Structures are given as structure tokens and as C-alpha cells.
């Protein structure tokens, strides 16, 4: 087989490609139906203050329970939704559900919602949807945090700044998600005022073993001290990883070690147990 010799490019079409195209087309149609049929749900993963173990916020993560294909990962269906006009409907469903669930959490806990760059490309629609959702769900804007990825900053920096400013004036906060995996430069940390920066799992989880990654992470924490944002380490799975992150001075973390994404009832029950144990 001739892989990367330019000449044979035309012969690279394979039956698997047709199959994967078919699956994408199918999923796009089924997503639309699934949204109406309530096949989607949100799971919430705690974000924890390492020193105290206190849950400071919860990240809403979208789940699709497909009636035939079973559970499909957002890593597969979000990109498909982004290539159609479905992402805005899906994204607004997420915002509404998360805002509704937010009011069930203690007053010192906030909620993080992932927002697609495609939603940011329709700023008028996004801002008015958020306004309406906050009002209808009676949710405090100050406890709602939007997670953006670096690509939204690269796409259209001017418009993104303007949209962020407008949403911030409503009270919302912002996290920069998956930091270190995209194309944004460190300068973006100064230009955009993020409340939190989330260090991607690929860096955060190897800080104990990889000196170069540790240097990067320490630099981000140093910038955080100077510029005034808060750093979150993503994807910590064991105690050694947590200890290595704690040693860098990063205050917040998220990962299976602290808790899996789970339905709102489970998260609510955690707080109820905590309250009981404090009053006992
Ligand atoms: P993300 O926003 O970076 O979310 C973190 C992902 O890491 C989640 O995957 C979470 O389940 C996973 N994770 C958390 N702790 C650990 C850990 O200790 N180890 C490992 N290996 N993984 C961990 P998930 O739920 O599959 O979501 C994948 C991505 O899909 C998200 O990455 C986000 O980019 C996107 N996504 C999820 N929900 C939404 C949504 O409502 N809207 C949009 N636009 N994107 C979403
Ligand atoms: Mg996220
Ligand atoms: Mg992330
Ligand atoms: Mg990620």
C-alpha cells in the first residue's frame, strides 16, 4: 500500500470512509430527533479545591443515550452537531438544563457549561438565548461560567472579546478550557480576562513524571498569580497526580480521583450528605 506518495491520493478512498460518512449523516438526523425525544442528559463533574476538598463548581457534560446505538460520546457527536446548524439548539438545551439544575446546588457552588465556538459565531443569538434562559430559569448569572476553547479566540478575536464583554455585563464568568492543546498563545491570557484557565489533562496528568510539562504548568500558575485568574488542573485520576499538581501551587482540580460525571440527583445528594455530616 502506498500511503503518502502524492501520486496515489486518488486511490485512497476506502469502503470505511463511506461507512463513516453514513454514520455521521445518520447521527446528525438522529440527534435532531433525539433532542425532541429527550435522549440527552447532563452529567455533572465536581471541580474541587485541592487543599480543602471542597466542591467549588460542577461542569455540565452532555450525554446522549441513543435508543439503538447506545451511549455515544460527546467527542463524536459534538463535532457532527458543529458541522450542521444543530449545535445552537443543542447548546441552548444544555444551557437551559444547566441553569435549571444550578439552582438546586448550594449558593457557593457555581456551574460550568461548555460552549461551542460555533455558538460564539452567532453572538446575537447566543446572548439573547442566555438572557432569556437566566430569566426563565431564575438562575443567578454570577454562578454560571462558560467554558471556551482556544479556537474561539483564534477564530475571531475582536468579536469574541465583544461577546464576552456583553455576557460579562450580565454577570457571567469565563473559563479557558483545554489550555495547552490549541493554537492560542500565552498572550491570550492577558488579552482576555478569564476567571479560570483549565490545564488540559495531557499536561496536568503528567506533571509528576515530565519536567517539561511541569515547567509549562508552573509558568501558567505564575501568570495566574500576576494576572489574577485561577488555574484548574483537568483529568487527575490518582493521588500521585494530585500531589504533583498541588506542589505547583495550582489550587483547583477536576478528575476521576475527585469524582466522575454524574446525574444532578447524585451531586445534590453529595451536598446533602456533607451538610448532615457537618450538623451531626
Ligand atoms: P472537556 O470540556 O474538556 O471535558 C472534560 C472531559 O474529560 C469529559 O469528557 C470528562 O468526562 C473527561 N474526564 C474528566 N475527568 C477525567 C479523568 O480523570 N480522566 C479522563 N481520562 N477523563 C476525564 P466527556 O464528557 O466525554 O466530554 C468530552 C468533550 O466533549 C468535553 O471536553 C467537551 O469539549 C465536549 N462537550 C461535552 N459536553 C459538551 C456540551 O454540552 N457542549 C459542548 N459544546 N461540548 C461539550
Ligand atoms: Mg470543559
Ligand atoms: Mg477540558
Ligand atoms: Mg477536553
Amino acid at each position: 500500500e502506498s500511503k503518502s506518495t502524492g501520486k496515489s491520493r486518488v486511490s485512497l478512498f476506502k469502503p470505511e470512509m463511506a461507512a463513516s460518512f453514513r454514520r455521521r449523516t445518520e447521527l446528525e438526523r438522529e440527534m435532531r430527533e433525539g433532542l425532541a425525544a429527550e435522549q440527552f442528559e447532563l452529567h455533572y463533574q465536581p471541580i474541587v479545591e485541592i487543599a480543602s476538598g471542597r466542591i467549588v463548581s460542577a461542569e455540565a457534560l452532555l450525554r446522549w443515550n441513543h435508543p439503538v446505538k447506545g451511549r455515544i460520546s460527546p467527542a463524536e457527536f459534538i463535532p457532527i452537531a458543529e458541522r450542521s446548524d444543530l449545535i445552537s439548539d443543542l447548546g441552548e438545551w444544555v444551557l437551559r438544563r444547566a441553569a435549571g439544575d444550578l439552582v438546586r446546588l448550594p449558593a457557593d457552588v457555581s456551574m460550568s457549561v461548555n460552549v461551542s465556538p460555533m455558538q460564539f459565531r452567532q453572538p446575537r443569538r447566543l446572548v439573547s438565548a442566555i438572557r432569556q434562559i437566566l430569566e426563565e430559569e431564575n438562575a443567578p448569572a454570577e454562578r454560571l461560567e462558560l467554558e471556551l476553547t482556544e479556537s474561539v479566540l483564534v477564530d475571531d478575536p475582536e468579536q469574541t472579546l465583544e461577546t464576552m464583554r456583553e455576557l460579562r455585563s450580565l454577570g457571567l464568568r469565563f473559563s479557558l478550557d483545554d489550555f495547552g492543546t490549541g493554537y492560542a498563545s500565552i498572550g491570550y491570557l492577558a488579552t482576555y480576562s478569564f476567571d479560570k484557565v483549565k490545564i488540559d489533562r495531557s499536561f496536568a496528568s503528567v506533571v509528576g513524571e515530565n519536567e517539561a510539562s511541569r515547567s509549562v504548568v508552573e509558568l501558567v500558575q505564575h501568570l495566574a498569580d500576576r494576572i489574577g485568574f485561577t488555574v484548574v488542573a483537568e483529568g487527575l485520576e490518582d493521588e500521585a497526580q494530585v500531589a504533583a499538581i498541588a506542589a505547583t501551587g495550582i489550587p483547583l482540580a477536576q478528575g476521576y480521583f475527585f469524582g466522575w460525571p454524574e446525574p444532578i440527583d447524585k451531586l445534590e445528594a453529595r451536598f446533602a450528605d456533607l451538610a448532615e455530616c457537618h450538623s451531626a
Side-chain angles (χ1 to χ4, degrees):
E1 198 189 353
S2 48
K3 262 198 202 131
S4 54
T5 55
K7 268 192 283 181
S8 60
R9 226 170 253 157
V10 284
S11 67
L12 279 176
F13 189 84
K14 299 202 180 66
E16 305 91 87
M17 290 177 165
S20 96
F21 178 78
R22 211 161 35 239
R23 179 169 164 100
R24 285 204 307 270
T25 319
E26 235 170 62
L27 287 180
E28 186 186 328
R29 177 173 46 77
E30 291 167 351
M31 231 185 292
R32 222 174 279 282
E33 296 162 4
L35 195 54
E38 304 208 35
Q39 289 165 12
F40 288 89
E41 78 185 303
L42 288 180
H43 283 188
Y44 297 97
Q45 187 179 33
I47 297 172
V48 168
E49 185 177 63
I50 299 173
S52 64
R54 188 175 81 81
I55 298 175
V56 296
S57 60
E59 178 176 6
L61 293 160
L62 190 54
R63 299 289 176 260
W64 182 11
N65 306 305
H66 190 288
V68 179
K69 297 185 173 86
R71 180 160 283 188
I72 301 171
S73 164
E76 180 176 12
F77 70 77
I78 293 283
I80 297 173
E82 283 174 335
R83 269 182 264 127
S84 71
D85 57 354
L86 200 62
I87 190 64
S88 291
D89 287 343
L90 202 57
E92 282 163 22
W93 182 89
V94 169
L95 281 161
R96 182 174 297 279
R97 179 59 55 90
D101 285 345
L102 169 57
V103 299
R104 295 169 61 174
L105 300 178
D108 61 350
V109 177
S110 59
M111 176 79 86
S112 286
V113 175
N114 294 285
V115 174
S116 163
M118 301 310 292
Q119 290 175 271
F120 256 78
R121 285 199 197 160
Q122 293 174 271
R124 300 274 45 90
R125 176 172 173 173
L126 181 64
V127 172
S128 74
I130 288 177
R131 249 183 229 285
Q132 193 176 351
I133 287 167
L134 289 172
E135 195 180 303
E136 288 171 5
E137 300 298 324
N138 206 5
E142 295 70 24
R143 288 165 61 202
L144 187 61
E145 207 156 275
L146 304 185
E147 294 198 0
L148 313 183
T149 51
E150 291 162 328
S151 64
V152 74
L153 312 182
V154 177
D155 273 1
D156 189 348
E158 292 292 306
Q159 180 58 61
T160 299
L161 260 181
E162 181 50 37
T163 309
M164 285 176 71
R165 207 175 288 134
E166 208 172 330
L167 289 170
R168 197 177 280 286
S169 76
L170 297 179
L172 276 83
R173 327 237 154 175
F174 293 93
S175 294
L176 182 55
D177 202 0
D178 302 343
F179 186 75
T181 58
Y183 300 99
S185 76
I186 241 165
Y188 284 82
L189 295 178
T191 310
Y192 299 86
S193 41
F194 284 101
D195 301 279
K196 295 198 181 87
V197 171
K198 303 182 76 174
I199 309 262
D200 192 71
R201 181 168 68 95
S202 56
F203 279 100
S205 64
V206 298
V207 158
E209 300 132 43
N210 183 318
E211 207 169 313
S213 295
R214 181 161 65 247
S215 305
V216 171
V217 165
E218 282 170 349
L219 174 62
V220 176
Q221 179 54 44
H222 175 74
L223 292 169
D225 292 333
R226 302 297 295 266
I227 299 174
F229 55 84
T230 305
V231 183
V232 184
E234 294 193 276
L236 304 188
E237 296 179 354
D238 61 46
E239 208 159 354
Q241 290 172 343
V242 176
I245 284 294
T248 69
I250 289 178
L252 304 181
Q254 180 177 6
Y256 298 157
F257 178 78
F258 299 101
W260 287 70
E262 56 190 11
I264 188 69
D265 294 348
K266 291 262 181 65
L267 184 63
E268 216 180 4
R270 274 204 195 214
F271 290 113
D273 289 349
L274 276 176
E276 218 165 85
C277 131
H278 281 151
S279 63

